[in-house]
Amino acid sequence: MGWFVNRRRRKIMRQPFPAAWEEIIHRNFVYYRLLDDAEQAHLQKLMQVFIAEKNWEGAGGLELTDEIRITIAVQACLLILNMSHDYYRNVTTIIVYPSEVVPPPRKISFFETALHPVEPPCPIVGQAFHRGPLILVWEAVLFSGRHPGSGYNVVYHEFAHKLDMLDGAADGTPPLNTRLEYRKWIKTLSREYLLLRKDLEKGVGTFLDDYGAMDEAEFFAVATEHFFDQPVLMCEHAPELYRLFREYYGQDPAARGGK
């Protein structure tokens, strides 16, 4: 990150945060009111840079508005509120559809042999590509922001994938600082992931959404949703996982209140 980028960002953050933007946040992101004044002010600065630096595209007939950009940005930037970060450097373009979208069928590459029929694509509300855009569905984004507490938040989920991918792999282990942190992360995540799979195989009810049992990458994204959206319940049902995420994100959502 060069001198010019830092200078441009400082200039953006010196600009006053528009009152109309804050009205949108209060209307579309209920969680915002749980943050203290300092956290809200810092989050606003992150949003200003985030909104300015990303390429925003509407698809499926959707016309991009400030409301859409702000509602996405406030939820995405919450994740990095207290982290060392570069504003999701691996997110350059955010594509927003109005409602559920069906992606095009996956093509068999020249070097692949199709042993089974390729399953038709299913409707999605969000998708994060390793070397590509991040796709969101506006209906799901708005629902996530206005109705917290269910453990479901498409913005948290997809941007958690992007944090995971910062080291070049979507494996449920984002970049960490020390070997000790990696050992602790892998030990805790692996145990909780395998426990989720085991409980589902036995038909035992689980706190974490069963979508997290697909693989380690989905487990990390799903656990992130619960960490911010159901922190008190996560403390009760998965205390070690909660503590690990508290250290990683540098936040303690359960102490703010909510579910």
Side-chain angles (χ1 to χ4, degrees):
M1 183 169 58
W3 172 85
F4 177 78
V5 173
N6 284 327
R7 182 173 179 270
R8 186 191 66 226
R9 287 175 174 174
R10 286 194 297 269
K11 184 178 179 180
I12 292 171
M13 288 189 285
R14 282 197 297 268
Q15 298 173 2
F17 195 80
W21 287 18
E22 189 157 14
E23 290 177 7
I24 291 171
I25 295 173
H26 281 286
R27 184 167 66 247
N28 291 348
F29 188 48
V30 173
Y31 189 88
Y32 183 74
R33 66 192 64 170
L34 298 180
L35 304 178
D36 62 32
D37 291 344
E39 290 173 323
Q40 289 183 2
H42 182 46
L43 183 57
Q44 289 176 4
K45 298 302 180 186
L46 296 181
M47 290 174 59
Q48 286 175 291
V49 175
F50 180 89
I51 290 170
E53 290 191 345
K54 305 308 177 186
N55 177 44
W56 299 82
E57 297 181 10
L62 181 69
E63 180 180 351
L64 261 295
T65 63
D66 279 348
E67 180 177 22
I68 294 172
R69 294 184 185 91
I70 292 158
T71 306
I72 292 171
V74 67
Q75 296 178 70
C77 290
L78 176 67
L79 270 61
I80 59 173
L81 183 66
N82 292 331
M83 297 177 65
S84 296
H85 63 84
D86 189 17
Y87 297 90
Y88 297 103
R89 66 178 184 272
N90 58 347
V91 177
T92 56
T93 300
I94 299 169
I95 301 173
V96 189
Y97 285 84
S99 55
E100 281 190 346
V101 58
V102 179
R106 189 179 73 85
K107 295 181 179 179
I108 301 296
S109 74
F110 179 80
F111 297 100
E112 281 186 286
T113 301
L115 300 178
H116 304 285
V118 177
E119 294 185 2
C122 298
I124 62 169
V125 295
Q127 195 167 19
F129 294 91
H130 182 208
R131 291 185 178 88
L134 190 147
I135 296 174
L136 294 168
V137 163
W138 172 233
E139 283 183 356
V141 170
L142 192 59
F143 180 86
S144 297
R146 288 183 173 179
H147 303 282
S150 67
Y152 167 81
N153 186 295
V154 65
V155 180
Y156 298 162
H157 187 102
E158 301 306 333
F159 278 91
H161 277 315
K162 281 297 191 177
L163 291 174
D164 183 14
M165 295 172 183
L166 281 170
D167 58 2
D171 56 6
T173 303
L176 302 171
N177 297 313
T178 67
R179 290 184 178 181
L180 179 61
E181 288 180 358
Y182 276 107
R183 286 198 294 268
K184 184 177 180 180
W185 185 275
I186 293 171
K187 177 182 178 182
T188 303
L189 261 290
S190 296
R191 183 183 64 246
E192 297 292 336
Y193 169 65
L194 293 174
L195 179 61
L196 175 61
R197 291 180 61 92
K198 184 177 180 180
D199 285 343
L200 290 174
E201 290 172 0
K202 292 182 176 181
V204 177
T206 63
F207 164 69
L208 292 171
D209 190 282
D210 57 10
Y211 192 69
M214 288 188 63
D215 55 42
E216 290 86 348
E218 294 299 345
F219 182 83
F220 170 59
V222 165
T224 293
E225 291 181 83
H226 288 286
F227 176 72
F228 284 100
D229 205 56
Q230 292 182 321
V232 175
L233 290 175
M234 190 172 183
C235 275
E236 296 174 359
H237 294 275
E240 289 189 41
L241 187 62
Y242 181 87
R243 284 193 291 270
L244 190 74
F245 275 54
R246 184 180 61 195
E247 293 174 5
Y248 172 67
Y249 284 109
Q251 299 184 58
D252 189 0
R256 294 182 180 133
K259 293 188 176 182

